[in-house]
Amino acid sequence: MSAWQPVIGLEIHVQLQTCSKLFSGASTAYGAEPNTQTSFVDAALPGTLPVPNAEAIRMAARFGLAVGAEVAAESIFARKNYFYPDSPKGYQISQYEQPIVSGGSVLARLDDGREIRVQLTRAHLEEDAGKSLHDAFHAASGIDLNRAGTPLIEVVSEPVLHSSAEAVAYMKAVHRLVRWLGICDGNLQEGSFRCDANVSVHQPGTPLGTRCEIKNVNSFRFVEKAIDYEIERQIRALENGERIVQETRLYDAAANKTRTMRSKEDAEDYRYFPDPDLPPIRISPAEFEALRAALPELPDARRARYLDALGLTPYDADKLTEDRAISDYFEAVLASTPGQPKLVANWINGELAAALNEAQADIGASRIGAADLAGLLARIVDGSISGKIAKDVFAAMWAREGSADAIIDARGLRQISDSGAIGSMLDALLAQFPEQVAKYRAGDAKLFQFLVGQAMKATRGQANPAQVNALLRERLDASR
Amino acid sequence: MAIETAQLHHLAHLARLDLPVAEEQRLAQDLNALLGLVAQLQDAAVDALTPMAHPHDVAASLRPDRVDEIDRSSELERIAPLMQGGLFLVPKVIE
């Protein structure tokens, strides 16, 4: 039996970070008491009319520009008709023909370093549905319409992914991009970023297999597990001579399996048509220009610049472009520490990352601002303190003891770079360890490090290590 | 093109209509009449025209992203058939 190839396409729902809903002035804030953010428009009371949110349109367009897609100068809203209590109009306002974003691509990088460029089919604007609570009541379902009308873009990829690892890498790339663009908070727990996966398997060279759609998976790990499970299930079925039924399946994280949610018979017959309540959305050339001009440097471009122009390692470049706030922090520190990208990267990915991790804080809550860190690094660059002492200063800064300079002065940490002073200290040291000196001169080279260690200890780490090395070698080798 | 019983049942299901058998024939006739109208529309010569999504050539007017709605839950509660703990109650639906 020849090998099966999985074919996967993702539909990612990205909740746009607007204050108000897509078609009403109700708040989109998460976690409010049920139905306290439900306007008459959201509740579909007769006589109400939707008015589109300009910022949601701009955010969708910004996404399109960032992925190199065609952003439509004119796009239209359509009604997607279905009955379900959490959609009180009896239809969802979405886009069908003429979505706002067509085409484009996203570069995804896998854990093994491999890169894939994932083609997008489209990204369209739509409103979210409300929430149904089935467990709270015995014979009824409870409906909360706070989420109804929240703006989303649904990002649809071409079926070009061939493993769960590729799917997750792609999902992470989109996640990074939408947060970078400031159009989505990326909160998976709260459902701001969730995904449906279309999975099929076939043998290369034969037509594509029948696909199943796995609905609403809201963690990277679950996407990986759900897809892996589904691939295996389909292969097993096909090898047993069974047929795959086109259907929608739900992933059950507790059991780590997918199960049938609804089959094709009940499935999509949405009878889309243009929403007569909503004239087309137009974006003028001037607005396009403004959107383009406001686009930040994107993570892929920034990563390439860090590698090529700054000479950072792939590890550092990846870490520093995972998140825009961290990247901007790096940019700010580097601006005050010119010519030292590696030093700045080491400190941000090292000490700072560790401190933030320990405090479970993100960069926005860092106790050491970019200017403060630059102040510390300046003292390393000008030789006032060693890298080792700087770590102590960093810890003191983190404990809010003051600026780098204040701490260095208060604790008398300035590096000793006076050759005379270091020389006399070394003379005393050699007198103190005659046995070791003799052994070194007899050929035991590793005793050199012992003597350096003693010298650093004698100066509480403050002696300039390069000078200690040079002056010590001079003394030991001169009188050999 | 005449509507068939199976299609009628499918449409009733999509519309969540509990369609009594006695009404099926009348409804099928109505729908067939509508289809006749659609067939007539399809005869119109529109090859040279760009399809329009909306009868008027206007763009949607947009609103700024501002929260300008207040909590309407008590007003909604007054007209809701059943509400408990702030939730609208509907017959149990489970997919």
Side-chain angles (χ1 to χ4, degrees):
Chain A
M1 179 112 345
S2 63
W4 295 96
Q5 185 186 43
V7 177
I8 304 158
L10 296 189
E11 294 168 13
I12 300 178
H13 289 91
V14 177
Q15 185 178 312
L16 298 178
Q17 216 172 351
T18 55
C19 317
S20 66
K21 294 189 179 173
L22 183 51
F23 298 114
S24 85
S27 170
T28 55
Y30 181 82
E33 290 297 307
N35 288 310
T36 54
Q37 292 171 180
T38 302
S39 77
F40 293 163
V41 173
D42 307 326
L45 294 199
T48 57
L49 281 173
V51 186
N53 182 336
E55 186 59 20
I57 312 286
R58 279 194 289 271
M59 286 179 170
R62 206 181 302 161
F63 176 81
L65 293 174
V67 297
E70 186 197 325
V71 179
E74 179 169 308
S75 67
I76 54 180
F77 281 112
R79 292 185 179 182
K80 177 180 180 180
N81 298 282
Y82 68 95
F83 280 105
Y84 202 72
D86 59 18
S87 176
K89 291 193 291 294
Y91 58 85
Q92 176 193 27
I93 305 178
S94 180
Q95 296 190 304
Y96 189 60
E97 294 167 308
Q98 288 181 248
I100 186 158
V101 172
S102 301
S105 66
V106 170
L107 186 70
R109 199 167 291 107
L110 280 83
D111 288 341
D112 62 11
R114 193 160 57 90
E115 289 184 346
I116 47 171
R117 186 159 282 286
V118 180
Q119 298 300 322
L120 304 186
T121 313
R122 57 193 268 153
H124 60 256
L125 270 162
E126 64 184 25
E127 56 177 350
D128 208 345
K131 259 187 195 146
S132 307
L133 292 105
H134 301 299
D135 300 331
F137 304 94
H138 175 59
S141 292
I143 306 293
D144 176 8
L145 296 178
N146 280 351
R147 201 181 62 185
T150 298
L152 307 174
I153 48 172
E154 181 177 325
V155 180
V156 183
S157 83
E158 291 284 302
V160 291
L161 301 157
H162 296 299
S163 67
S164 61
E166 288 188 2
V168 169
Y170 160 70
M171 191 176 167
K172 283 184 174 168
V174 175
H175 186 250
R176 176 180 70 160
L177 181 63
V178 295
R179 284 181 306 133
W180 192 281
L181 294 170
I183 64 173
C184 175
D185 66 18
N187 191 322
L188 289 109
Q189 282 82 35
E190 293 177 4
S192 304
F193 190 90
R194 50 193 202 263
C195 145
D196 302 339
N198 287 300
V199 179
S200 68
V201 299
H202 75 142
Q203 298 192 331
T206 66
L208 289 184
T210 304
R211 69 191 158 92
C212 291
E213 182 178 15
I214 312 168
K215 274 281 181 200
N216 257 334
V217 196
N218 70 343
S219 95
F220 297 123
R221 204 165 60 88
F222 289 166
V223 165
E224 184 170 3
K225 291 181 137 195
I227 291 175
D228 281 341
Y229 175 86
E230 187 58 24
I231 291 170
E232 238 178 78
R233 183 189 73 85
Q234 293 186 14
I235 293 175
R236 211 180 319 123
L238 290 168
E239 292 193 340
N240 287 338
E242 295 164 30
R243 284 182 52 223
I244 302 296
V245 182
Q246 185 174 345
E247 61 184 358
T248 303
R249 299 178 70 86
L250 264 186
Y251 177 65
D252 179 344
N256 186 31
K257 46 168 53 172
T258 63
R259 57 184 163 81
T260 301
M261 184 166 139
R262 53 172 184 254
S263 69
K264 177 72 178 152
E265 292 145 61
D266 300 324
E268 292 87 74
D269 191 347
Y270 292 129
R271 293 145 292 141
Y272 285 95
F273 62 87
D275 191 324
D277 288 343
L278 288 158
I281 301 294
R282 290 195 184 136
I283 303 176
S284 71
E287 285 167 309
F288 268 120
E289 222 24 73
L291 284 166
R292 246 184 225 111
L295 215 57
E297 184 183 28
L298 297 175
D300 289 333
R302 206 170 255 195
R303 182 178 180 277
R305 180 163 63 80
Y306 288 176
L307 290 174
D308 302 340
L310 300 184
L312 294 183
T313 61
Y315 171 83
D316 281 334
D318 282 342
K319 284 277 166 201
L320 293 173
T321 50
E322 250 169 30
D323 177 280
R324 176 139 165 230
I326 288 176
S327 194
D328 287 349
Y329 185 101
F330 170 75
E331 296 280 319
V333 178
L334 185 61
S336 307
T337 318
Q340 299 285 345
K342 184 61 193 162
L343 177 73
V344 178
N346 284 346
W347 275 83
I348 292 177
N349 290 337
E351 293 302 296
L352 184 67
L356 289 170
N357 190 33
E358 203 191 351
Q360 300 203 334
D362 60 27
I363 191 87
S366 173
R367 296 191 194 173
I368 300 179
D372 301 325
L373 183 61
L376 173 64
L377 300 189
R379 295 293 84 84
I380 300 176
V381 173
D382 71 13
S384 303
I385 55 173
S386 67
K388 192 170 177 304
I389 295 278
K391 292 189 179 182
D392 298 335
V393 178
F394 181 92
M397 290 168 77
W398 191 263
R400 301 193 199 281
E401 286 179 31
S403 71
D405 281 332
I407 292 163
I408 291 166
D409 288 341
R411 297 188 176 186
L413 296 175
R414 242 166 249 285
Q415 185 161 273
I416 303 164
S417 304
D418 172 353
S419 304
I422 294 175
S424 26
M425 179 269 295
L426 287 176
D427 290 338
L429 197 73
L430 298 185
Q432 198 187 333
F433 294 103
E435 209 177 302
Q436 284 81 353
V437 171
K439 277 187 182 166
Y440 171 80
R441 286 179 175 149
D444 190 351
K446 67 178 184 295
L447 279 165
F448 186 78
Q449 277 317 312
F450 167 80
L451 292 167
V452 169
Q454 291 301 320
M456 295 311 287
K457 195 171 158 192
T459 56
R460 292 184 305 149
Q462 282 170 253
N464 180 320
Q467 279 174 298
V468 167
N469 266 285
L471 293 172
L472 182 61
R473 200 168 289 283
E474 201 179 288
R475 277 168 173 69
L476 289 171
D477 294 352
S479 47
R480 191 184 278 208
Chain B
M1 173 192 153
I3 201 148
E4 284 166 24
T5 313
Q7 286 173 310
L8 189 69
H9 289 166
H10 178 59
L11 288 173
H13 173 69
L14 286 174
R16 299 295 184 269
L17 285 179
D18 188 9
L19 185 61
V21 179
E23 284 187 36
E24 281 185 11
Q25 203 189 344
R26 186 187 54 79
L27 194 63
Q29 272 171 10
D30 286 354
L31 288 172
N32 279 328
L34 286 170
L35 287 176
L37 175 67
V38 172
Q40 225 175 316
L41 287 171
Q42 276 173 337
D43 283 341
V46 292
D47 288 352
L49 301 175
T50 314
M52 294 173 75
H54 207 261
H56 301 292
D57 184 23
V58 289
S61 51
L62 309 179
R63 35 172 275 277
D65 181 27
R66 247 198 331 260
V67 175
D68 52 15
E69 272 292 344
I70 52 165
D71 176 3
R72 302 282 194 180
S73 54
S74 56
E75 286 159 276
L76 290 169
E77 184 156 18
R78 237 180 292 140
I79 54 171
L82 270 176
M83 215 165 170
Q84 197 180 315
L87 297 163
F88 299 111
L89 296 194
V90 298
K92 196 139 196 152
V93 272
I94 295 249
E95 296 214 39

